[in-house]
Amino acid sequence: MKDRVDKINWKMMYDPKKVTEIISSKSITNWAKLHPLTVIPNRIDKSLIPIDFKMFRLLSVTSVAPGVKVVPHSHDEPVFRFFLKGSVLLNGVKYEEGDWILIPEGVEYELTTEDGYTALVDYGVQCGAPHNGDVLSPLRSKPEHD
């Protein structure tokens, strides 16, 4: 069998620097079928996330405990999350295992967990994290001011 390289339609990929509102696996209908890729029926299936990842350079595994609230904030670069387990409310929308989300630069969002979650989180160069005062949890009921 001759090696095959799948043709990616880059015009259908979202450029994180040009996106102006949050997009996700919930907001793009049939995202998993936008790009046909080589598969082995009943053994290997692929779903290409329609994001151009060339600007992302720092991939982290992020785990957030149950009962954590991160107050509204934004980042100076786009942030991508792929949820591996658990669930989170992000701006009131529930995301669970297998969901993904792209938050554009400067777009404000907040997170709330009930059971906690683990996600792959991709950043450009800043690997941003909320400031201590931005996180509320059962261990700290109100933000501390530096």
Side-chain angles (χ1 to χ4, degrees), residues 113-130:
T113 68
E114 290 179 356
D115 302 322
Y117 73 89
T118 299
L120 291 176
V121 182
D122 218 347
Y123 301 93
V125 296
Q126 298 179 28
C127 200

Side-chain angles (χ1 to χ4, degrees), residues 26 64-68 83-90 93-99 111-119:
K26 294 181 180 292
V64 180
V68 170
F83 298 97
L84 299 171
K85 67 179 183 177
S87 65
V88 64
L89 286 177
L90 191 143
V93 178
K94 186 174 186 175
Y95 294 94
E96 301 173 282
E97 176 181 324
D99 287 331
L111 301 170
T112 305
T113 68
E114 290 179 356
D115 302 322
Y117 73 89
T118 299

